[in-house]
Amino acid sequence: LGDVYKRQITYTGFVTDKYQGDGYYSQPDGVHTVAYQVSADFNANATIKMQGSLATTPTEDDWFDIADTTFTADTSTVTSSANFTGNYVWVRSRTQSMTAGTVNSILLNS
């Protein structure tokens, strides 16, 4: 039992719930917009990116990173947005290497 109490939690990221993308509704344009807002103390090594899935019931292996949606914070940028196109059935956001700060909101328009 002694070793259990000495271990530190090293998890520094998370994924959001999945949300319907344009492919879910059979929308032909596939246009999505995402806006990220973080606190001023959000660490500079952290990233937030969008992931998509073409599976109707995705498992963890069905998710992939969507190009040109990565937000890397710095001390002067706390809000960023990106447009991306694809007939993704599901989309979600993935945050990695977050050791400080807060993700205030991630807004998605599909």
Side-chain angles (χ1 to χ4, degrees):
L1 277 176
D3 283 345
V4 173
Y5 295 107
K6 292 179 185 176
R7 293 183 189 155
Q8 292 182 341
I9 296 173
T10 58
Y11 187 74
T12 60
F14 63 90
V15 294
T16 63
D17 291 335
K18 63 183 182 186
Y19 294 93
Q20 293 99 348
D22 270 7
Y24 185 89
Y25 298 106
S26 300
Q27 296 294 321
D29 65 358
V31 176
H32 302 78
T33 301
V34 63
Y36 309 109
Q37 184 181 27
V38 299
S39 61
D41 62 341
F42 193 77
N43 67 296
N45 295 329
T47 59
I48 307 172
K49 65 180 86 172
M50 294 302 295
Q51 293 187 316
S53 176
L54 302 176
T56 54
T57 308
T59 66
E60 199 56 37
D61 293 334
D62 294 319
W63 294 98
F64 53 88
D65 294 345
I66 299 173
D68 301 322
T69 64
T70 302
F71 169 62
T72 303
D74 62 34
T75 56
S76 65
T77 305
V78 295
T79 302
S80 180
S81 63
N83 294 312
F84 57 99
T85 303
N87 285 323
Y88 310 110
V89 177
W90 295 102
V91 292
R92 71 179 185 183
S93 178
R94 179 178 197 89
T95 301
Q96 295 176 289
S97 303
M98 184 178 158
T99 57
T102 305
V103 176
N104 294 327
S105 65
I106 300 172
L107 305 173
L108 177 68
N109 186 11
S110 340

XYZ file of all heavy atoms in Angstrom:
848
model
N 0.801 -1.204 0.000
C 0.000 0.000 0.000
C 0.840 1.264 0.000
O 0.388 2.279 -0.485
C -0.920 0.010 1.220
C -2.214 -0.769 1.096
C -2.972 -0.748 2.402
C -3.064 -0.289 -0.027
N 2.048 1.215 0.530
C 2.883 2.409 0.589
C 3.150 3.016 -0.779
O 3.156 4.216 -0.942
N 3.389 2.171 -1.806
C 3.660 2.678 -3.150
C 2.457 3.387 -3.757
O 2.610 4.323 -4.516
C 4.081 1.532 -4.074
C 5.522 1.108 -3.840
O 6.255 1.871 -3.189
O 5.891 0.021 -4.295
N 1.274 2.936 -3.436
C 0.071 3.544 -3.991
C -0.012 5.011 -3.612
O -0.334 5.863 -4.430
C -1.187 2.783 -3.510
C -2.447 3.521 -3.939
C -1.176 1.368 -4.046
N 0.323 5.336 -2.387
C 0.209 6.716 -1.923
C 1.342 7.602 -2.417
O 1.227 8.807 -2.393
C 0.124 6.752 -0.396
C -1.133 6.100 0.098
C -1.105 4.865 0.708
C -2.368 6.711 -0.096
C -2.267 4.256 1.142
C -3.532 6.110 0.317
C -3.481 4.881 0.943
O -4.629 4.282 1.358
N 2.414 7.030 -2.911
C 3.548 7.806 -3.412
C 3.402 8.169 -4.884
O 4.114 9.014 -5.383
C 4.848 7.027 -3.212
C 5.230 6.864 -1.761
C 6.502 6.079 -1.642
C 6.829 5.803 -0.182
N 8.006 4.973 -0.047
N 2.488 7.543 -5.591
C 2.313 7.813 -7.016
C 1.670 9.172 -7.225
O 0.799 9.592 -6.473
C 1.444 6.737 -7.660
C 2.115 5.403 -7.682
C 1.265 4.392 -8.377
N 1.859 3.075 -8.189
C 1.185 1.963 -8.236
N -0.104 1.981 -8.471
N 1.788 0.821 -8.070
N 2.096 9.837 -8.274
C 1.514 11.125 -8.619
C 0.655 10.978 -9.865
O 0.944 10.164 -10.738
C 2.608 12.156 -8.895
C 3.397 12.518 -7.676
C 4.428 13.584 -7.998
O 4.776 13.799 -9.140
N 4.900 14.235 -6.973
N -0.378 11.768 -9.951
C -1.208 11.778 -11.145
C -0.482 12.594 -12.206
O -0.082 13.728 -11.971
C -2.588 12.393 -10.849
C -3.312 11.507 -9.841
C -3.398 12.551 -12.117
C -4.615 12.091 -9.351
N -0.278 12.010 -13.371
C 0.443 12.699 -14.445
C -0.452 12.953 -15.648
O 0.023 13.332 -16.699
C 1.662 11.866 -14.889
O 1.202 10.581 -15.315
C 2.660 11.715 -13.760
N -1.742 12.771 -15.512
C -2.678 12.994 -16.613
C -2.827 14.489 -16.838
O -3.172 15.230 -15.936
C -4.028 12.366 -16.269
C -5.003 12.408 -17.405
C -4.879 11.564 -18.491
C -6.041 13.325 -17.418
C -5.774 11.604 -19.532
C -6.940 13.376 -18.453
C -6.805 12.515 -19.510
O -7.698 12.576 -20.551
N -2.559 14.954 -18.053
C -2.568 16.391 -18.338
C -3.424 16.735 -19.557
O -3.145 17.699 -20.250
C -1.140 16.914 -18.565
O -0.576 16.204 -19.673
C -0.281 16.765 -17.338
N -4.424 15.947 -19.831
C -5.266 16.224 -20.983
C -6.633 15.603 -20.817
O -6.889 14.875 -19.860
N -7.502 15.905 -21.767
C -8.849 15.343 -21.734
C -9.481 15.452 -23.108
O -8.992 16.188 -23.969
C -9.724 16.050 -20.689
C -9.957 17.508 -20.964
C -11.037 17.917 -21.728
C -9.091 18.467 -20.459
C -11.250 19.265 -21.992
C -9.300 19.813 -20.711
C -10.384 20.213 -21.480
N -10.538 14.707 -23.318
C -11.352 14.847 -24.525
C -12.759 15.221 -24.090
O -13.206 14.867 -23.005
C -11.379 13.560 -25.389
C -10.018 13.256 -25.955
C -11.923 12.388 -24.616
N -13.441 15.964 -24.940
C -14.819 16.351 -24.651
C -15.754 15.224 -25.074
O -15.343 14.251 -25.705
C -15.205 17.633 -25.407
O -15.130 17.378 -26.820
C -14.310 18.795 -25.028
N -17.012 15.386 -24.757
C -18.028 14.489 -25.290
C -18.058 14.639 -26.803
O -17.594 15.642 -27.356
C -19.406 14.839 -24.733
C -19.546 14.537 -23.252
O -18.806 13.655 -22.747
O -20.380 15.180 -22.602
N -18.633 13.671 -27.489
C -18.770 13.762 -28.943
C -20.037 14.550 -29.285
O -21.012 14.532 -28.533
C -18.822 12.371 -29.569
C -20.013 11.544 -29.123
C -19.962 10.151 -29.711
C -21.217 9.407 -29.244
N -21.233 8.040 -29.601
N -19.958 15.263 -30.407
C -21.091 16.054 -30.897
C -21.301 15.749 -32.368
O -20.345 15.465 -33.094
C -20.845 17.548 -30.687
C -20.804 17.885 -29.222
C -19.609 17.904 -28.535
C -21.985 18.129 -28.524
C -19.577 18.173 -27.168
C -21.959 18.406 -27.168
C -20.755 18.411 -26.498
O -20.733 18.664 -25.154
N -22.544 15.846 -32.822
C -22.862 15.536 -34.206
C -22.185 16.522 -35.154
O -22.270 17.727 -34.960
C -24.382 15.586 -34.458
C -25.150 14.521 -33.741
C -25.782 15.026 -32.447
O -25.469 16.103 -31.975
N -26.646 14.228 -31.868
N -21.535 15.980 -36.162
C -20.965 16.791 -37.221
C -21.922 16.852 -38.398
O -23.025 16.299 -38.365
N -21.500 17.502 -39.478
C -22.357 17.634 -40.659
C -22.726 16.285 -41.259
O -23.817 16.115 -41.788
C -21.682 18.502 -41.716
C -22.021 19.967 -41.557
O -22.666 20.326 -40.554
O -21.658 20.752 -42.442
N -21.831 15.320 -41.192
C -22.107 13.997 -41.733
C -23.239 13.291 -41.004
O -23.953 12.469 -41.584
N -23.440 13.616 -39.746
C -24.522 13.026 -38.965
C -25.874 13.411 -39.555
O -26.811 12.625 -39.569
C -24.418 13.503 -37.517
C -25.413 12.866 -36.571
C -25.104 11.686 -35.918
C -26.655 13.451 -36.332
C -26.006 11.098 -35.045
C -27.561 12.872 -35.459
C -27.233 11.698 -34.815
O -28.122 11.115 -33.958
N -25.954 14.648 -40.021
C -27.196 15.173 -40.585
C -27.227 15.101 -42.108
O -28.115 15.671 -42.739
C -27.394 16.629 -40.153
C -27.515 16.788 -38.660
C -26.472 17.313 -37.918
C -28.659 16.382 -37.994
C -26.572 17.462 -36.544
C -28.779 16.518 -36.617
C -27.733 17.054 -35.902
O -27.834 17.183 -34.547
N -26.232 14.458 -42.713
C -26.113 14.357 -44.174
C -26.084 15.729 -44.835
O -26.634 15.924 -45.917
C -27.250 13.505 -44.752
O -27.216 12.212 -44.214
N -25.458 16.699 -44.169
C -25.317 18.044 -44.742
C -24.239 18.011 -45.823
O -23.167 17.456 -45.612
C -24.935 19.059 -43.661
C -25.988 19.236 -42.593
C -27.257 19.848 -43.149
O -27.223 20.731 -43.979
N -28.388 19.337 -42.684
N -24.473 18.607 -46.977
C -23.536 18.489 -48.083
C -22.292 19.377 -47.983
O -21.277 19.069 -48.584
C -24.371 18.878 -49.301
C -25.419 19.792 -48.752
C -25.700 19.292 -47.360
N -22.352 20.481 -47.223
C -21.216 21.410 -47.255
C -20.077 21.006 -46.318
O -18.925 21.288 -46.585
C -21.657 22.841 -46.970
C -22.202 23.046 -45.569
O -22.291 22.068 -44.790
O -22.561 24.189 -45.250
N -20.347 20.366 -45.218
C -19.315 19.904 -44.293
C -18.563 21.005 -43.579
O -17.495 20.772 -43.027
N -19.081 22.224 -43.560
C -18.372 23.356 -42.953
C -18.638 23.397 -41.444
O -19.778 23.311 -41.003
C -18.791 24.685 -43.611
C -18.132 25.866 -42.921
C -18.444 24.672 -45.085
N -17.562 23.524 -40.674
C -17.627 23.632 -39.222
C -16.759 24.802 -38.785
O -15.766 25.112 -39.430
C -17.070 22.375 -38.543
C -17.747 21.107 -38.910
N -17.514 20.449 -40.108
C -18.645 20.349 -38.246
C -18.238 19.343 -40.138
N -18.932 19.263 -39.018
N -17.115 25.421 -37.682
C -16.295 26.471 -37.071
C -16.157 26.154 -35.592
O -17.139 25.784 -34.948
C -16.944 27.860 -37.240
O -17.112 28.122 -38.639
C -16.074 28.947 -36.633
N -14.955 26.310 -35.063
C -14.715 26.099 -33.636
C -14.021 27.340 -33.080
O -13.210 27.972 -33.762
C -13.875 24.827 -33.376
C -12.487 24.934 -33.979
C -13.799 24.523 -31.892
N -14.388 27.704 -31.859
C -13.726 28.803 -31.147
C -13.285 28.280 -29.791
O -14.052 27.635 -29.079
C -14.673 29.982 -30.967
N -12.025 28.537 -29.458
C -11.458 28.131 -28.180
C -11.234 29.368 -27.325
O -10.758 30.389 -27.834
C -10.088 27.465 -28.361
C -10.024 26.352 -29.386
C -9.357 26.537 -30.590
C -10.591 25.113 -29.134
C -9.249 25.520 -31.521
C -10.491 24.077 -30.057
C -9.814 24.293 -31.252
O -9.719 23.281 -32.167
N -11.548 29.299 -26.049
C -11.237 30.383 -25.123
C -10.617 29.777 -23.875
O -11.196 28.869 -23.264
C -12.474 31.184 -24.748
C -12.133 32.373 -23.861
C -13.360 33.156 -23.453
O -14.450 32.640 -23.382
N -13.148 34.419 -23.155
N -9.429 30.275 -23.521
C -8.705 29.762 -22.361
C -8.355 30.912 -21.431
O -8.417 32.081 -21.817
C -7.414 29.014 -22.788
C -7.747 27.822 -23.679
C -6.436 29.947 -23.488
N -7.974 30.582 -20.207
C -7.562 31.609 -19.256
C -6.165 32.116 -19.600
O -5.406 31.458 -20.314
C -7.581 31.048 -17.829
O -6.669 29.970 -17.715
N -5.823 33.290 -19.097
C -4.532 33.916 -19.388
C -3.363 33.089 -18.872
O -2.253 33.186 -19.400
C -4.486 35.324 -18.805
N -3.584 32.245 -17.857
C -2.491 31.439 -17.315
C -2.420 30.036 -17.928
O -1.705 29.176 -17.439
C -2.597 31.342 -15.792
C -3.878 30.665 -15.321
O -4.842 30.589 -16.112
O -3.924 30.227 -14.165
N -3.118 29.811 -19.035
C -3.071 28.529 -19.742
C -1.648 28.315 -20.226
O -1.071 29.177 -20.887
C -4.045 28.581 -20.926
C -4.347 27.260 -21.557
C -5.215 26.370 -20.948
C -3.786 26.917 -22.775
C -5.529 25.156 -21.543
C -4.087 25.714 -23.379
C -4.954 24.830 -22.764
N -1.054 27.171 -19.899
C 0.370 26.995 -20.194
C 0.668 26.898 -21.689
O -0.121 26.365 -22.463
C 0.950 25.805 -19.433
C 0.409 24.472 -19.878
O -0.760 24.214 -19.732
N 1.267 23.639 -20.432
N 1.812 27.430 -22.066
C 2.184 27.567 -23.473
C 2.464 26.241 -24.167
O 2.442 26.183 -25.392
C 3.403 28.480 -23.603
N 2.721 25.177 -23.435
C 2.979 23.881 -24.064
C 1.705 23.106 -24.372
O 1.743 22.092 -25.046
C 3.879 23.027 -23.168
C 5.241 23.642 -23.006
O 5.739 24.309 -23.898
N 5.854 23.436 -21.860
N 0.585 23.564 -23.872
C -0.683 22.858 -24.061
C -1.238 23.099 -25.453
O -1.005 24.142 -26.061
C -1.691 23.303 -23.014
N -1.987 22.126 -25.946
C -2.661 22.263 -27.234
C -4.104 21.796 -27.114
O -4.428 20.934 -26.300
C -1.980 21.429 -28.337
O -1.987 20.055 -27.961
C -0.564 21.887 -28.603
N -4.944 22.410 -27.923
C -6.325 21.973 -28.074
C -6.538 21.758 -29.565
O -6.135 22.588 -30.374
C -7.331 23.024 -27.570
C -7.012 23.467 -26.150
C -8.746 22.473 -27.650
C -7.859 24.641 -25.671
N -7.141 20.647 -29.931
C -7.391 20.374 -31.348
C -8.714 19.649 -31.492
O -9.229 19.052 -30.542
C -6.272 19.547 -31.958
C -6.148 18.154 -31.384
C -5.016 17.368 -32.010
C -3.739 17.677 -31.293
N -2.612 16.866 -31.671
N -9.254 19.704 -32.678
C -10.482 18.992 -32.988
C -10.136 17.618 -33.540
O -9.119 17.444 -34.222
C -11.328 19.765 -33.997
C -11.859 21.087 -33.475
S -12.860 20.940 -31.987
C -14.262 20.004 -32.590
N -11.001 16.664 -33.220
C -10.884 15.321 -33.769
C -12.214 14.953 -34.410
O -13.268 15.439 -33.998
C -10.551 14.310 -32.674
C -9.168 14.511 -32.095
C -8.800 13.398 -31.124
O -9.602 12.988 -30.299
N -7.579 12.910 -31.258
N -12.165 14.106 -35.427
C -13.369 13.668 -36.107
C -13.437 12.159 -36.188
O -12.433 11.463 -36.017
N -14.633 11.663 -36.448
C -14.849 10.242 -36.659
C -15.895 10.076 -37.749
O -16.850 10.843 -37.833
C -15.332 9.563 -35.377
O -15.623 8.198 -35.629
N -15.709 9.052 -38.572
C -16.666 8.720 -39.615
C -17.555 7.554 -39.196
O -18.481 7.192 -39.916
C -15.935 8.384 -40.920
C -15.040 9.505 -41.456
C -14.287 9.037 -42.689
C -15.840 10.756 -41.738
N -17.277 6.994 -38.029
C -18.052 5.851 -37.530
C -19.348 6.332 -36.876
O -19.368 7.371 -36.222
C -17.226 5.064 -36.522
N -20.409 5.573 -37.031
C -21.674 5.952 -36.397
C -21.647 5.697 -34.891
O -22.301 6.405 -34.139
C -22.865 5.205 -37.031
O -22.602 3.802 -36.983
C -23.075 5.643 -38.464
N -20.904 4.695 -34.457
C -20.713 4.403 -33.038
C -19.214 4.288 -32.807
O -18.655 3.189 -32.787
C -21.427 3.090 -32.641
O -22.782 3.142 -33.080
C -21.393 2.888 -31.142
N -18.507 5.422 -32.667
C -17.045 5.379 -32.630
C -16.480 4.784 -31.342
O -17.026 4.980 -30.257
C -16.644 6.847 -32.766
C -17.821 7.611 -32.274
C -19.018 6.782 -32.589
N -15.391 4.051 -31.519
C -14.558 3.620 -30.400
C -13.364 4.562 -30.365
O -13.187 5.400 -31.261
C -14.077 2.167 -30.578
O -13.199 2.111 -31.711
C -15.252 1.219 -30.782
N -12.516 4.437 -29.377
C -11.357 5.326 -29.266
C -10.456 5.244 -30.498
O -9.835 6.224 -30.901
C -10.578 4.996 -27.986
C -9.651 6.090 -27.534
C -10.322 7.438 -27.318
O -11.473 7.493 -26.832
O -9.691 8.471 -27.638
N -10.396 4.084 -31.146
C -9.556 3.904 -32.338
C -10.110 4.586 -33.584
O -9.412 4.694 -34.584
C -9.364 2.415 -32.628
C -8.546 1.716 -31.558
O -7.738 2.390 -30.886
O -8.726 0.496 -31.384
N -11.361 5.023 -33.556
C -11.993 5.640 -34.732
C -11.744 7.139 -34.844
O -12.140 7.750 -35.831
C -13.510 5.391 -34.707
C -13.852 3.927 -34.872
O -13.217 3.260 -35.704
O -14.754 3.448 -34.154
N -11.120 7.757 -33.854
C -10.919 9.209 -33.854
C -9.599 9.568 -34.520
O -8.604 8.872 -34.378
C -10.938 9.742 -32.427
C -12.275 9.591 -31.794
C -12.672 8.591 -30.952
C -13.403 10.442 -31.969
N -13.981 8.781 -30.599
C -14.457 9.913 -31.205
C -13.631 11.601 -32.689
C -15.714 10.496 -31.141
C -14.878 12.186 -32.626
C -15.904 11.643 -31.864
N -9.580 10.693 -35.238
C -8.374 11.200 -35.879
C -8.344 12.723 -35.739
O -9.388 13.366 -35.610
C -8.313 10.792 -37.360
C -9.553 11.147 -38.136
C -9.673 12.391 -38.745
C -10.605 10.250 -38.247
C -10.825 12.730 -39.456
C -11.766 10.574 -38.960
C -11.862 11.817 -39.562
N -7.129 13.276 -35.749
C -6.961 14.724 -35.645
C -7.402 15.391 -36.943
O -7.132 14.884 -38.038
C -5.500 15.085 -35.375
C -5.032 14.598 -34.009
O -5.875 14.242 -33.164
O -3.803 14.563 -33.804
N -8.068 16.525 -36.820
C -8.497 17.303 -37.983
C -7.452 18.395 -38.221
O -7.140 19.175 -37.313
C -9.893 17.914 -37.758
C -10.918 16.792 -37.548
C -10.279 18.806 -38.935
C -12.296 17.276 -37.150
N -6.908 18.428 -39.417
C -5.833 19.364 -39.768
C -6.256 20.817 -39.586
O -7.423 21.173 -39.781
C -5.400 19.132 -41.218
N -5.301 21.633 -39.202
C -5.460 23.090 -39.089
C -6.480 23.532 -38.037
O -7.092 24.592 -38.172
C -5.807 23.710 -40.442
C -4.752 23.439 -41.499
O -3.551 23.459 -41.143
O -5.112 23.196 -42.661
N -6.686 22.720 -36.997
C -7.586 23.109 -35.909
C -6.860 23.202 -34.573
O -7.493 23.401 -33.546
C -8.757 22.111 -35.762
O -8.237 20.823 -35.394
C -9.569 22.016 -37.033
N -5.540 23.095 -34.575
C -4.777 23.101 -33.327
C -4.575 24.513 -32.812
O -4.159 25.404 -33.548
C -3.416 22.413 -33.512
O -3.640 21.080 -33.951
C -2.622 22.397 -32.223
N -4.887 24.713 -31.548
C -4.678 25.979 -30.850
C -3.585 25.757 -29.811
O -3.698 24.871 -28.977
C -5.971 26.427 -30.171
C -5.802 27.586 -29.219
C -5.355 28.816 -29.664
C -6.100 27.447 -27.872
C -5.212 29.885 -28.799
C -5.955 28.512 -27.000
C -5.510 29.729 -27.460
N -2.534 26.547 -29.913
C -1.464 26.537 -28.922
C -1.446 27.913 -28.281
O -1.256 28.918 -28.962
C -0.101 26.232 -29.575
O -0.204 24.977 -30.258
C 0.995 26.144 -28.525
N -1.664 27.948 -26.996
C -1.778 29.229 -26.286
C -0.428 29.908 -26.124
O 0.611 29.262 -26.113
C -2.403 29.005 -24.915
N -0.463 31.208 -26.021
C 0.686 31.992 -25.569
C 0.134 33.084 -24.656
O -1.064 33.182 -24.461
C 1.501 32.537 -26.737
C 0.728 33.483 -27.631
O -0.131 34.230 -27.116
O 0.984 33.503 -28.837
N 1.008 33.898 -24.107
C 0.553 34.876 -23.120
C -0.323 35.977 -23.715
O -1.014 36.657 -22.983
C 1.751 35.519 -22.408
O 2.614 36.097 -23.396
C 2.510 34.489 -21.597
N -0.308 36.136 -25.036
C -1.106 37.204 -25.638
C -2.393 36.711 -26.285
O -3.245 37.508 -26.630
C -0.271 37.955 -26.680
O 0.048 37.094 -27.752
N -2.532 35.406 -26.477
C -3.705 34.869 -27.151
C -4.501 33.979 -26.213
O -3.990 32.963 -25.752
C -3.295 34.044 -28.397
O -2.489 34.858 -29.234
C -4.510 33.552 -29.152
N -5.723 34.367 -25.923
C -6.580 33.543 -25.073
C -7.828 33.078 -25.817
O -8.579 32.259 -25.321
C -6.978 34.259 -23.765
C -5.748 34.499 -22.894
C -7.715 35.542 -24.027
N -8.038 33.597 -27.027
C -9.174 33.191 -27.853
C -8.675 32.939 -29.267
O -7.873 33.710 -29.795
C -10.258 34.283 -27.877
O -10.676 34.546 -26.539
C -11.459 33.845 -28.688
N -9.147 31.862 -29.863
C -8.759 31.535 -31.227
C -9.906 30.776 -31.885
O -10.706 30.136 -31.207
C -7.500 30.661 -31.221
O -7.120 30.332 -32.536
N -9.982 30.855 -33.201
C -11.016 30.114 -33.921
C -10.416 29.472 -35.163
O -9.352 29.865 -35.630
C -12.175 31.033 -34.308
O -11.726 32.030 -35.197
N -11.118 28.482 -35.677
C -10.682 27.787 -36.890
C -11.912 27.287 -37.630
O -12.924 26.936 -37.019
C -9.771 26.618 -36.534
N -11.809 27.279 -38.941
C -12.827 26.667 -39.794
C -12.258 25.367 -40.335
O -11.063 25.296 -40.640
C -13.187 27.585 -40.967
C -13.852 28.851 -40.506
O -14.767 28.824 -39.704
N -13.372 29.981 -41.003
N -13.091 24.358 -40.444
C -12.650 23.117 -41.055
C -13.817 22.498 -41.816
O -14.978 22.743 -41.496
C -12.049 22.146 -40.034
C -12.950 21.768 -38.886
C -13.651 20.568 -38.894
C -13.075 22.598 -37.776
C -14.469 20.200 -37.831
C -13.885 22.244 -36.708
C -14.591 21.037 -36.732
N -13.480 21.745 -42.846
C -14.500 21.167 -43.710
C -14.332 19.657 -43.762
O -13.227 19.155 -43.924
C -14.381 21.743 -45.139
O -14.486 23.160 -45.060
C -15.476 21.212 -46.042
N -15.431 18.953 -43.614
C -15.431 17.497 -43.715
C -16.782 16.973 -43.287
O -17.436 17.566 -42.433
N -17.201 15.896 -43.861
C -18.489 15.306 -43.499
C -18.304 14.308 -42.357
O -18.620 13.124 -42.475
C -19.148 14.658 -44.717
C -19.713 15.706 -45.640
O -20.239 16.716 -45.171
N -19.605 15.506 -46.928
N -17.778 14.816 -41.250
C -17.548 14.009 -40.054
C -18.893 13.673 -39.417
O -19.749 14.537 -39.262
C -16.685 14.775 -39.046
C -15.446 15.343 -39.662
C -15.302 16.717 -39.849
C -14.413 14.521 -40.085
C -14.162 17.249 -40.420
C -13.271 15.042 -40.670
C -13.154 16.408 -40.838
O -12.031 16.933 -41.410
N -19.056 12.424 -39.018
C -20.278 12.024 -38.334
C -20.256 12.574 -36.913
O -21.248 13.104 -36.418
C -20.437 10.486 -38.345
C -21.669 10.057 -37.562
C -20.496 9.973 -39.781
N -19.106 12.465 -36.265
C -18.934 12.980 -34.899
C -17.675 13.838 -34.830
O -16.704 13.579 -35.548
C -18.793 11.830 -33.901
C -20.006 10.988 -33.774
C -20.209 9.756 -34.344
C -21.205 11.286 -33.061
N -21.465 9.285 -34.016
C -22.084 10.201 -33.225
C -21.612 12.371 -32.284
C -23.348 10.160 -32.649
C -22.874 12.329 -31.706
C -23.721 11.236 -31.885
N -17.680 14.848 -33.978
C -16.498 15.652 -33.695
C -16.371 15.809 -32.180
O -17.354 15.708 -31.446
C -16.550 17.042 -34.375
C -16.454 16.913 -35.880
C -17.791 17.810 -33.983
N -15.145 16.032 -31.742
C -14.858 16.302 -30.336
C -13.575 17.096 -30.262
O -12.865 17.256 -31.253
C -14.733 15.004 -29.537
C -13.462 14.214 -29.845
C -13.383 12.969 -29.021
N -12.106 12.271 -29.219
C -11.795 11.124 -28.670
N -12.671 10.508 -27.869
N -10.626 10.571 -28.890
N -13.264 17.599 -29.084
C -12.042 18.354 -28.875
C -11.121 17.564 -27.955
O -11.582 16.867 -27.046
C -12.377 19.705 -28.237
O -11.201 20.422 -28.000
N -9.814 17.663 -28.193
C -8.814 16.983 -27.368
C -7.806 18.017 -26.862
O -7.271 18.792 -27.641
C -8.102 15.908 -28.163
C -7.048 15.182 -27.372
C -6.384 14.076 -28.201
N -5.704 13.167 -27.322
C -6.238 12.089 -26.765
N -7.494 11.793 -27.012
N -5.543 11.315 -25.979
N -7.596 18.039 -25.563
C -6.611 18.917 -24.937
C -5.465 18.056 -24.425
O -5.699 17.025 -23.799
C -7.247 19.701 -23.774
O -8.327 20.466 -24.291
C -6.251 20.621 -23.107
N -4.230 18.490 -24.706
C -3.058 17.733 -24.291
C -2.033 18.650 -23.646
O -1.959 19.842 -23.954
C -2.413 17.035 -25.487
C -3.297 15.973 -26.105
C -2.667 15.372 -27.330
O -2.570 16.021 -28.362
N -2.252 14.120 -27.213
N -1.231 18.092 -22.759
C -0.105 18.761 -22.089
C -0.529 19.965 -21.273
O 0.235 20.912 -21.100
C 0.964 19.172 -23.108
O 1.407 18.050 -23.833
N -1.720 19.955 -20.751
C -2.234 21.073 -19.950
C -1.811 20.894 -18.491
O -2.216 19.949 -17.840
C -3.755 21.123 -20.053
C -4.372 22.286 -19.335
S -6.156 22.259 -19.582
C -6.644 23.238 -18.189
N -0.982 21.816 -18.020
C -0.523 21.739 -16.632
C -0.926 22.967 -15.825
O -0.737 22.993 -14.622
C 1.004 21.578 -16.571
O 1.612 22.674 -17.259
C 1.437 20.261 -17.209
N -1.458 23.971 -16.498
C -1.903 25.184 -15.799
C -3.002 25.851 -16.614
O -3.081 25.686 -17.822
C -0.738 26.153 -15.607
N -3.838 26.598 -15.930
C -4.872 27.364 -16.601
C -6.184 26.618 -16.724
O -6.366 25.527 -16.180
N -7.096 27.228 -17.473
C -8.451 26.709 -17.617
C -8.904 26.839 -19.059
O -8.645 27.853 -19.707
C -9.420 27.530 -16.732
O -8.951 27.514 -15.391
C -10.833 26.993 -16.795
N -9.587 25.817 -19.547
C -10.296 25.933 -20.820
C -11.664 26.481 -20.462
O -12.486 25.803 -19.853
C -10.419 24.571 -21.537
C -11.237 24.718 -22.808
C -9.043 23.988 -21.830
N -11.916 27.747 -20.790
C -13.180 28.386 -20.435
C -14.333 27.922 -21.313
O -15.440 27.708 -20.833
C -13.048 29.899 -20.503
C -12.103 30.437 -19.462
O -11.999 29.903 -18.365
N -11.371 31.485 -19.808
N -14.083 27.796 -22.609
C -15.142 27.322 -23.503
C -14.551 26.833 -24.813
O -13.490 27.284 -25.244
C -16.167 28.417 -23.772
O -15.576 29.487 -24.470
N -15.274 25.909 -25.407
C -15.017 25.448 -26.766
C -16.379 25.478 -27.451
O -17.278 24.725 -27.084
C -14.409 24.025 -26.792
C -13.082 24.004 -26.028
C -14.227 23.566 -28.235
C -12.515 22.611 -25.830
N -16.528 26.376 -28.399
C -17.806 26.562 -29.085
C -17.718 25.983 -30.484
O -16.761 26.256 -31.206
C -18.155 28.041 -29.150
C -18.184 28.781 -27.807
C -18.366 30.264 -28.020
C -19.277 28.209 -26.918
N -18.712 25.202 -30.871
C -18.718 24.544 -32.164
C -19.985 24.909 -32.925
O -21.079 24.877 -32.382
C -18.660 23.018 -31.990
C -18.740 22.193 -33.257
C -17.496 22.378 -34.118
C -18.939 20.724 -32.916
N -19.815 25.240 -34.194
C -20.933 25.479 -35.094
C -20.754 24.545 -36.283
O -19.750 24.614 -36.976
C -20.957 26.939 -35.535
C -22.184 27.272 -36.358
O -23.119 26.485 -36.441
N -22.174 28.442 -36.958
N -21.715 23.650 -36.489
C -21.627 22.738 -37.632
C -22.749 22.984 -38.595
O -23.761 23.478 -38.275
C -21.717 21.286 -37.256
O -21.472 20.923 -36.006
